[in-house]
Amino acid sequence: MTTMTPEQAAWFAQTFDRLVANVGQAVLGKPHVVRLVLTCMLSEGHILLEDAPGTGKTSLARALAASVQGTQNRIQFTPDLLPSDVTGVTIYDQKTAKFEFHQGPIFASIVLADEINRASPKTQSALLEVMEEGQITVDGVTHSVGRPFMVIATQNPIEQAGTYRLPEAQLDRFLMKTSLGYPDHAATVEILQGASVRDRSATLQALITTQAVAEMADLAAGVHVDGAVLEYISRLAEETRNAAECRVGVSVRGALALVRCAKVWAAAHGRNYVLPDDIKELAQPAWAHRLVLDPEAEFAGATNEGVLARLLADVAAPQERRSA
């Protein structure tokens, strides 16, 4: 794999900032969350948003798809949703005397899986293969969903009625988890002023093609990560497994996820190398949802975010090395 050059890093950062600004026209006042979601897309991962209704999750998915000339589908997860409603189904065609595959809504560049934790575990499991491998298998035949492909899943707070807790294996397949939250006062006023525009994302111009997104993802893979930074990530992951508050710590998949995110985050800041500060900034969105706390520790007030914050403070970061 070729290492990203400083010139490529500068171009990457410029393009990334333009995409953030473009999506920001539809999702007002949330540049940091937009940066995280774009980082997730260029890391070829998926993101989980835990939020109240009406905070702009659908607008975010539409704006992202519009900015990259991609397709966008929304799946409303309900208790009676079947796996075939997500992946598609094979139907017998009497005219041709052959079985034909009819694609489900999972075949899109950006898929909004709305209220994912309202569907049964069987339907949730329909997403596992496609999120991990970018393909689905129906009746023994494999179908690729193409690149780019990202699931933006939303979930209700777990206390709400009619929800199923997402299993750890599925949570581990989300590269990041974050929250849009409500906009601040100024952004809310701006949204209200534009109340006549029902869908801000419909007015957005595409900045790049889906092919360019795939090329940017390949380019980011060439960002240099120093051995000392990799050791730092490994130590942090080990500490989550050894922490007294945790029953389950960060897996190897989780450690790899943080490396992938950090490469894109560094390139988005115009660097062709990862700094320890990148790891500190991304550890919470990339790792907090992967921890399973001991029930007694949770009852005593421990939180996933609090455990990670303590470990980031305790584990010494390596000295910065600024050359690839």
Side-chain angles (χ1 to χ4, degrees), residues 263-301:
K263 286 185 173 189
V264 174
W265 196 256
H269 287 82
R271 287 182 273 107
N272 63 344
Y273 52 89
V274 171
L275 295 177
D277 282 350
D278 298 329
I279 306 305
K280 293 177 181 176
E281 194 159 8
L282 293 170
Q284 291 282 3
W287 278 4
H289 63 289
R290 301 172 195 269
L291 303 183
V292 179
L293 298 186
D294 181 79
E296 288 186 13
E298 206 167 358
F299 184 74

CSV table of all heavy atoms in Angstrom, one decimal, residues 263-301:
chain,number,residue,atom,x,y,z
A,263,LYS,N,-7.0,7.1,10.8
A,263,LYS,CA,-6.4,7.4,9.5
A,263,LYS,C,-7.2,8.5,8.7
A,263,LYS,O,-6.6,9.4,8.2
A,263,LYS,CB,-6.3,6.1,8.7
A,263,LYS,CG,-5.2,5.2,9.2
A,263,LYS,CD,-5.1,4.0,8.2
A,263,LYS,CE,-3.9,3.1,8.6
A,263,LYS,NZ,-3.6,2.1,7.6
A,264,VAL,N,-8.5,8.3,8.7
A,264,VAL,CA,-9.4,9.2,8.0
A,264,VAL,C,-9.4,10.6,8.7
A,264,VAL,O,-9.3,11.6,8.1
A,264,VAL,CB,-10.8,8.7,7.9
A,264,VAL,CG1,-11.7,9.8,7.2
A,264,VAL,CG2,-10.8,7.4,7.0
A,265,TRP,N,-9.4,10.6,10.0
A,265,TRP,CA,-9.5,11.8,10.8
A,265,TRP,C,-8.2,12.6,10.6
A,265,TRP,O,-8.2,13.8,10.5
A,265,TRP,CB,-9.6,11.4,12.3
A,265,TRP,CG,-10.0,12.5,13.2
A,265,TRP,CD1,-9.2,13.2,14.1
A,265,TRP,CD2,-11.3,13.1,13.4
A,265,TRP,NE1,-9.9,14.2,14.8
A,265,TRP,CE2,-11.2,14.1,14.4
A,265,TRP,CE3,-12.5,12.8,12.8
A,265,TRP,CZ2,-12.3,14.9,14.8
A,265,TRP,CZ3,-13.6,13.6,13.2
A,265,TRP,CH2,-13.5,14.6,14.2
A,266,ALA,N,-7.0,11.9,10.5
A,266,ALA,CA,-5.8,12.6,10.3
A,266,ALA,C,-5.8,13.2,8.9
A,266,ALA,O,-5.4,14.4,8.7
A,266,ALA,CB,-4.6,11.6,10.4
A,267,ALA,N,-6.2,12.4,7.9
A,267,ALA,CA,-6.2,13.0,6.5
A,267,ALA,C,-7.2,14.2,6.4
A,267,ALA,O,-6.9,15.1,5.7
A,267,ALA,CB,-6.6,11.9,5.6
A,268,ALA,N,-8.3,14.1,7.2
A,268,ALA,CA,-9.3,15.2,7.2
A,268,ALA,C,-8.7,16.5,7.8
A,268,ALA,O,-9.2,17.6,7.5
A,268,ALA,CB,-10.5,14.8,7.9
A,269,HIS,N,-7.6,16.3,8.5
A,269,HIS,CA,-6.9,17.5,9.1
A,269,HIS,C,-5.6,17.8,8.3
A,269,HIS,O,-4.8,18.6,8.8
A,269,HIS,CB,-6.6,17.2,10.6
A,269,HIS,CG,-7.8,17.3,11.5
A,269,HIS,ND1,-8.7,16.2,11.7
A,269,HIS,CD2,-8.3,18.3,12.2
A,269,HIS,CE1,-9.6,16.6,12.5
A,269,HIS,NE2,-9.5,17.8,12.8
A,270,GLY,N,-5.5,17.2,7.1
A,270,GLY,CA,-4.4,17.6,6.3
A,270,GLY,C,-3.1,16.9,6.6
A,270,GLY,O,-2.0,17.4,6.2
A,271,ARG,N,-3.1,15.8,7.4
A,271,ARG,CA,-1.9,15.1,7.8
A,271,ARG,C,-1.9,13.7,7.1
A,271,ARG,O,-2.9,13.1,6.9
A,271,ARG,CB,-1.8,15.0,9.3
A,271,ARG,CG,-1.5,16.2,10.0
A,271,ARG,CD,-1.4,16.0,11.5
A,271,ARG,NE,-2.7,16.1,12.2
A,271,ARG,CZ,-3.4,15.1,12.7
A,271,ARG,NH1,-2.9,13.8,12.5
A,271,ARG,NH2,-4.5,15.3,13.3
A,272,ASN,N,-0.7,13.2,6.8
A,272,ASN,CA,-0.6,11.9,6.3
A,272,ASN,C,0.0,10.9,7.4
A,272,ASN,O,0.6,9.9,7.1
A,272,ASN,CB,0.3,11.8,5.0
A,272,ASN,CG,1.7,12.3,5.3
A,272,ASN,OD1,2.0,12.9,6.3
A,272,ASN,ND2,2.6,12.0,4.4
A,273,TYR,N,-0.2,11.3,8.6
A,273,TYR,CA,0.2,10.5,9.8
A,273,TYR,C,-0.7,10.7,10.9
A,273,TYR,O,-1.4,11.8,11.0
A,273,TYR,CB,1.7,10.9,10.2
A,273,TYR,CG,1.8,12.4,10.4
A,273,TYR,CD1,1.6,12.9,11.7
A,273,TYR,CD2,2.2,13.2,9.4
A,273,TYR,CE1,1.7,14.3,11.9
A,273,TYR,CE2,2.4,14.6,9.6
A,273,TYR,CZ,2.1,15.1,10.9
A,273,TYR,OH,2.3,16.4,11.1
A,274,VAL,N,-0.9,9.7,11.8
A,274,VAL,CA,-1.8,9.8,12.9
A,274,VAL,C,-1.1,10.2,14.1
A,274,VAL,O,0.1,9.8,14.4
A,274,VAL,CB,-2.4,8.4,13.1
A,274,VAL,CG1,-3.2,8.3,14.4
A,274,VAL,CG2,-3.3,8.0,12.0
A,275,LEU,N,-1.7,11.1,14.9
A,275,LEU,CA,-1.2,11.6,16.2
A,275,LEU,C,-1.9,10.9,17.3
A,275,LEU,O,-3.1,10.5,17.2
A,275,LEU,CB,-1.3,13.1,16.3
A,275,LEU,CG,-0.6,14.0,15.3
A,275,LEU,CD1,-1.0,15.4,15.6
A,275,LEU,CD2,0.9,13.8,15.5
A,276,PRO,N,-1.2,10.8,18.5
A,276,PRO,CA,-2.0,10.3,19.7
A,276,PRO,C,-3.2,11.0,20.0
A,276,PRO,O,-4.2,10.5,20.5
A,276,PRO,CB,-0.9,10.4,20.8
A,276,PRO,CG,0.4,10.4,20.1
A,276,PRO,CD,0.2,11.0,18.8
A,277,ASP,N,-3.2,12.3,19.7
A,277,ASP,CA,-4.4,13.2,20.0
A,277,ASP,C,-5.6,12.7,19.2
A,277,ASP,O,-6.8,12.8,19.6
A,277,ASP,CB,-4.1,14.6,19.7
A,277,ASP,CG,-3.3,15.3,20.8
A,277,ASP,OD1,-3.2,14.7,21.9
A,277,ASP,OD2,-2.9,16.4,20.6
A,278,ASP,N,-5.4,12.2,17.9
A,278,ASP,CA,-6.4,11.6,17.1
A,278,ASP,C,-7.1,10.4,17.8
A,278,ASP,O,-8.3,10.3,17.8
A,278,ASP,CB,-5.9,11.1,15.8
A,278,ASP,CG,-5.3,12.3,14.9
A,278,ASP,OD1,-5.8,13.4,15.1
A,278,ASP,OD2,-4.4,12.0,14.2
A,279,ILE,N,-6.3,9.6,18.5
A,279,ILE,CA,-6.8,8.4,19.2
A,279,ILE,C,-7.7,8.9,20.4
A,279,ILE,O,-8.7,8.4,20.6
A,279,ILE,CB,-5.6,7.6,19.7
A,279,ILE,CG1,-4.7,7.2,18.5
A,279,ILE,CG2,-6.2,6.3,20.4
A,279,ILE,CD1,-5.4,6.5,17.4
A,280,LYS,N,-7.2,9.9,21.1
A,280,LYS,CA,-7.9,10.4,22.3
A,280,LYS,C,-9.2,11.0,21.9
A,280,LYS,O,-10.2,10.9,22.6
A,280,LYS,CB,-7.1,11.5,23.0
A,280,LYS,CG,-5.8,10.9,23.7
A,280,LYS,CD,-5.0,12.1,24.3
A,280,LYS,CE,-3.7,11.6,24.9
A,280,LYS,NZ,-2.9,12.7,25.4
A,281,GLU,N,-9.3,11.7,20.7
A,281,GLU,CA,-10.5,12.3,20.3
A,281,GLU,C,-11.5,11.3,19.8
A,281,GLU,O,-12.7,11.6,19.9
A,281,GLU,CB,-10.2,13.3,19.2
A,281,GLU,CG,-11.3,14.3,18.9
A,281,GLU,CD,-10.8,15.6,18.2
A,281,GLU,OE1,-9.6,15.7,17.8
A,281,GLU,OE2,-11.6,16.5,18.0
A,282,LEU,N,-11.1,10.2,19.2
A,282,LEU,CA,-12.0,9.3,18.6
A,282,LEU,C,-12.3,8.1,19.5
A,282,LEU,O,-13.2,7.3,19.1
A,282,LEU,CB,-11.4,8.8,17.3
A,282,LEU,CG,-11.3,9.8,16.1
A,282,LEU,CD1,-10.5,9.2,15.0
A,282,LEU,CD2,-12.7,10.2,15.7
A,283,ALA,N,-11.6,7.9,20.6
A,283,ALA,CA,-11.8,6.7,21.4
A,283,ALA,C,-13.3,6.6,21.9
A,283,ALA,O,-13.9,5.5,21.9
A,283,ALA,CB,-10.9,6.8,22.6
A,284,GLN,N,-13.9,7.8,22.3
A,284,GLN,CA,-15.2,7.7,22.9
A,284,GLN,C,-16.2,7.2,21.8
A,284,GLN,O,-17.0,6.3,22.0
A,284,GLN,CB,-15.6,9.1,23.5
A,284,GLN,CG,-14.9,9.4,24.7
A,284,GLN,CD,-15.4,8.7,26.0
A,284,GLN,OE1,-16.3,7.9,25.9
A,284,GLN,NE2,-14.8,9.0,27.1
A,285,PRO,N,-16.3,7.9,20.6
A,285,PRO,CA,-17.3,7.5,19.6
A,285,PRO,C,-17.0,6.1,19.1
A,285,PRO,O,-18.0,5.4,18.7
A,285,PRO,CB,-17.3,8.6,18.6
A,285,PRO,CG,-16.0,9.3,18.8
A,285,PRO,CD,-15.7,9.2,20.2
A,286,ALA,N,-15.8,5.7,19.0
A,286,ALA,CA,-15.4,4.4,18.4
A,286,ALA,C,-15.5,3.2,19.4
A,286,ALA,O,-15.7,2.1,19.0
A,286,ALA,CB,-14.0,4.4,17.8
A,287,TRP,N,-15.4,3.5,20.7
A,287,TRP,CA,-15.3,2.4,21.7
A,287,TRP,C,-16.3,2.4,22.8
A,287,TRP,O,-16.6,1.3,23.3
A,287,TRP,CB,-13.9,2.5,22.4
A,287,TRP,CG,-12.8,1.9,21.6
A,287,TRP,CD1,-12.9,1.4,20.3
A,287,TRP,CD2,-11.4,1.7,22.0
A,287,TRP,NE1,-11.7,0.9,19.9
A,287,TRP,CE2,-10.7,1.1,20.9
A,287,TRP,CE3,-10.7,2.0,23.2
A,287,TRP,CZ2,-9.4,0.8,21.0
A,287,TRP,CZ3,-9.4,1.7,23.2
A,287,TRP,CH2,-8.7,1.1,22.2
A,288,ALA,N,-17.0,3.5,23.1
A,288,ALA,CA,-17.9,3.5,24.3
A,288,ALA,C,-19.0,2.5,24.2
A,288,ALA,O,-19.3,1.8,25.1
A,288,ALA,CB,-18.4,4.9,24.5
A,289,HIS,N,-19.5,2.3,22.9
A,289,HIS,CA,-20.7,1.4,22.8
A,289,HIS,C,-20.2,-0.1,22.8
A,289,HIS,O,-21.1,-1.0,22.9
A,289,HIS,CB,-21.4,1.7,21.5
A,289,HIS,CG,-20.6,1.5,20.2
A,289,HIS,ND1,-19.5,2.3,19.9
A,289,HIS,CD2,-20.6,0.5,19.3
A,289,HIS,CE1,-19.0,1.9,18.8
A,289,HIS,NE2,-19.6,0.8,18.4
A,290,ARG,N,-18.9,-0.3,22.8
A,290,ARG,CA,-18.5,-1.7,22.7
A,290,ARG,C,-18.2,-2.3,24.1
A,290,ARG,O,-18.1,-3.5,24.3
A,290,ARG,CB,-17.1,-1.8,22.0
A,290,ARG,CG,-17.2,-1.3,20.5
A,290,ARG,CD,-15.9,-1.2,19.9
A,290,ARG,NE,-15.9,-0.5,18.6
A,290,ARG,CZ,-16.2,-1.0,17.4
A,290,ARG,NH1,-16.4,-2.3,17.3
A,290,ARG,NH2,-16.2,-0.2,16.4
A,291,LEU,N,-18.2,-1.4,25.1
A,291,LEU,CA,-18.0,-1.9,26.5
A,291,LEU,C,-19.3,-2.5,27.1
A,291,LEU,O,-20.3,-1.9,26.9
A,291,LEU,CB,-17.5,-0.8,27.4
A,291,LEU,CG,-16.2,-0.1,26.9
A,291,LEU,CD1,-15.8,1.0,28.0
A,291,LEU,CD2,-15.0,-1.0,26.7
A,292,VAL,N,-19.2,-3.6,27.8
A,292,VAL,CA,-20.3,-4.1,28.6
A,292,VAL,C,-19.9,-4.0,30.1
A,292,VAL,O,-18.9,-4.7,30.5
A,292,VAL,CB,-20.6,-5.6,28.2
A,292,VAL,CG1,-21.8,-6.1,29.0
A,292,VAL,CG2,-20.9,-5.7,26.7
A,293,LEU,N,-20.6,-3.2,30.8
A,293,LEU,CA,-20.3,-2.9,32.2
A,293,LEU,C,-20.8,-4.0,33.1
A,293,LEU,O,-21.8,-4.6,32.8
A,293,LEU,CB,-20.8,-1.6,32.7
A,293,LEU,CG,-20.2,-0.3,32.0
A,293,LEU,CD1,-20.7,0.9,32.6
A,293,LEU,CD2,-18.7,-0.3,31.9
A,294,ASP,N,-20.1,-4.2,34.2
A,294,ASP,CA,-20.6,-5.1,35.2
A,294,ASP,C,-21.9,-4.5,35.9
A,294,ASP,O,-21.9,-3.3,36.1
A,294,ASP,CB,-19.5,-5.3,36.3
A,294,ASP,CG,-20.0,-6.3,37.4
A,294,ASP,OD1,-19.9,-7.5,37.2
A,294,ASP,OD2,-20.4,-5.8,38.5
A,295,PRO,N,-22.9,-5.3,36.0
A,295,PRO,CA,-24.2,-4.7,36.5
A,295,PRO,C,-24.0,-4.0,37.9
A,295,PRO,O,-24.6,-2.9,38.1
A,295,PRO,CB,-25.1,-5.9,36.7
A,295,PRO,CG,-24.6,-6.9,35.7
A,295,PRO,CD,-23.1,-6.7,35.7
A,296,GLU,N,-23.2,-4.5,38.8
A,296,GLU,CA,-23.0,-3.8,40.1
A,296,GLU,C,-22.3,-2.5,39.9
A,296,GLU,O,-22.6,-1.5,40.5
A,296,GLU,CB,-22.1,-4.7,41.0
A,296,GLU,CG,-22.9,-6.0,41.5
A,296,GLU,CD,-22.1,-6.8,42.5
A,296,GLU,OE1,-21.1,-6.2,43.0
A,296,GLU,OE2,-22.5,-7.9,42.8
A,297,ALA,N,-21.3,-2.4,39.0
A,297,ALA,CA,-20.6,-1.2,38.7
A,297,ALA,C,-21.5,-0.2,38.1
A,297,ALA,O,-21.5,1.0,38.4
A,297,ALA,CB,-19.4,-1.4,37.8
A,298,GLU,N,-22.4,-0.7,37.2
A,298,GLU,CA,-23.4,0.2,36.5
A,298,GLU,C,-24.4,0.8,37.6
A,298,GLU,O,-24.7,2.0,37.6
A,298,GLU,CB,-24.1,-0.6,35.5
A,298,GLU,CG,-24.7,0.3,34.3
A,298,GLU,CD,-25.1,-0.5,33.1
A,298,GLU,OE1,-25.0,-1.8,33.2
A,298,GLU,OE2,-25.6,0.1,32.2
A,299,PHE,N,-24.8,-0.1,38.5
A,299,PHE,CA,-25.7,0.3,39.5
A,299,PHE,C,-25.0,1.4,40.4
A,299,PHE,O,-25.7,2.3,41.0
A,299,PHE,CB,-26.1,-0.9,40.4
A,299,PHE,CG,-27.2,-0.5,41.4
A,299,PHE,CD1,-28.5,-0.3,41.1
A,299,PHE,CD2,-26.8,-0.5,42.8
A,299,PHE,CE1,-29.4,0.0,42.0
A,299,PHE,CE2,-27.8,-0.2,43.7
A,299,PHE,CZ,-29.1,0.1,43.3
A,300,ALA,N,-23.7,1.3,40.6
A,300,ALA,CA,-23.0,2.2,41.5
A,300,ALA,C,-22.7,3.5,40.8
A,300,ALA,O,-22.1,4.4,41.4
A,300,ALA,CB,-21.7,1.6,41.9
A,301,GLY,N,-23.1,3.6,39.5
A,301,GLY,CA,-22.9,4.9,38.8
A,301,GLY,C,-21.9,4.9,37.7
A,301,GLY,O,-21.7,6.0,37.1
